[in-house]
Amino acid sequence: MANPKYVPALSFRWLTPLYDALIDGPLSIGRMRRGLLAQMGDLRDKRILDVGSGTGTMSIMIKQAHPSAEVVGLDGDPQILEIARAKARKLGIEIRFDQGMSFDLPYPNESFDVVLTSMMLHHLTRDDKQTTARAMYRVLRPGGQLFGADFAEPRSSFGRAIRPLTRRFERVAENVDGFLPVMFENAGFKNYNETNRYFFGSIALFQGSKS
C-alpha cells in the first residue's frame, strides 16, 4: 500500500515520465547540480547515499566523476526508480537504487561516508524533515559529510519579496522560514553552512558534518 505521506517528484504521477525533460529542459537545474558536485570535492573510494535520488541524475554525475566511489540512490517512488535504473544501465554505470523513505532509511548505523539530498526535503512534512535529518546523521560514519540543495530562507531582497509566494508551494514554508539549519543542528550535525545560491537566491547549497 502506498505511503499516504508520499508526494511524487512533480506532485502528480502522470508527470513522472516527463521529469527529466522538464527539470533538465526549461526548468534546468544543471548549473546547481554541477555546483553541488564541485562542493562535494574528492569522492574517490567513498560510499555515498543519495537520498531522494529521483531519476538518478545526481547519482550518475557522481559516479561518472568519481568511478571508484560506491553510490547508492534511494527514493520512495518505484516508477521513478525504474527510470533511474534504466538510465544507469544505458550508460553502463553501476549504481544501486533502493526503494525506501528518507525518514526511515533502511541502512545500518555509520554505513556511509557522504549523504546528500537534492531538491527533496521540501516535499516532506515538518516532522518528516526532522526525522530525515536524524536518519541521515545515523547512517553517516564519524567524520562523514552532509551535502544538499533545497529551498532555504531567502537572503536577497527579491527572495524576501517573493517569500509569501514561495511559501505556498508544497511544503516549502518551513524551508523559507529558516528550518533547515535548525533541523540539522537538532539532528547533531556540526558546521552547517549554506553556500551558493540559485534561482534568485531561493535555493541554497548546504553542507555539514558528523563529529
Side-chain angles (χ1 to χ4, degrees):
M1 183 170 62
N3 190 308
K5 299 180 180 181
Y6 185 74
V7 179
L10 293 175
S11 298
F12 301 101
R13 292 193 179 280
W14 64 269
L15 284 174
T16 297
L18 304 176
Y19 182 88
D20 282 343
L22 291 172
I23 298 300
D24 293 325
L27 300 180
S28 176
I29 59 171
R31 188 166 66 92
M32 184 201 72
R33 284 173 172 153
R34 291 190 293 273
L36 179 56
L37 181 64
Q39 182 170 296
M40 294 173 73
D42 186 0
L43 300 176
R44 286 177 294 180
D45 303 318
K46 300 290 187 182
R47 191 162 193 253
I48 301 154
L49 175 63
D50 183 2
V51 179
S53 53
T55 61
T57 300
M58 196 70 213
S59 295
I60 288 170
M61 287 175 65
I62 293 169
K63 188 66 175 177
Q64 287 176 322
H66 307 280
S68 66
E70 179 186 352
V71 183
V72 178
L74 176 130
D75 203 279
D77 187 340
Q79 184 182 10
I80 216 166
L81 284 169
E82 283 308 307
I83 295 173
R85 291 169 184 144
K87 286 167 64 174
R89 283 195 301 267
K90 185 176 180 180
L91 293 168
I93 294 174
E94 186 177 344
I95 299 174
R96 191 175 105 206
F97 289 104
D98 297 331
Q99 184 176 352
M101 303 305 291
S102 64
F103 42 82
D104 188 22
L105 297 178
Y107 308 107
N109 295 349
E110 301 181 359
S111 51
F112 292 94
D113 301 295
V114 173
V115 171
L116 77 141
T117 180
S118 176
M119 300 307 295
M120 181 278 296
L121 292 171
H122 66 273
H123 290 288
L124 304 177
T125 66
R126 184 184 183 94
D127 287 346
D128 286 344
K129 286 171 185 172
Q130 185 63 77
T131 306
T132 291
R134 292 194 176 104
M136 290 175 169
Y137 187 87
R138 177 183 65 78
V139 301
L140 269 179
R141 293 167 179 155
Q145 297 292 309
L146 162 75
F147 295 98
D150 217 300
F151 289 99
E153 184 177 9
R155 303 297 186 199
S156 68
S157 57
F158 180 79
R160 288 191 290 269
I162 65 171
R163 177 157 59 181
L165 175 63
T166 57
R167 291 182 86 255
R168 296 177 179 271
F169 292 110
E170 291 190 47
R171 295 157 177 171
V172 175
E174 293 93 0
N175 291 43
V176 298
D177 288 345
F179 186 53
L180 291 186
V182 173
M183 75 180 200
F184 284 120
E185 181 179 351
N186 287 344
F189 284 98
K190 306 298 182 185
N191 306 313
Y192 176 85
N193 184 36
E194 293 176 359
T195 56
N196 293 338
R197 291 277 175 153
Y198 296 88
F199 295 96
F200 307 104
S202 60
I203 292 174
L205 301 190
F206 57 83
Q207 62 187 56
S209 61
K210 180 174 181 176
S211 300

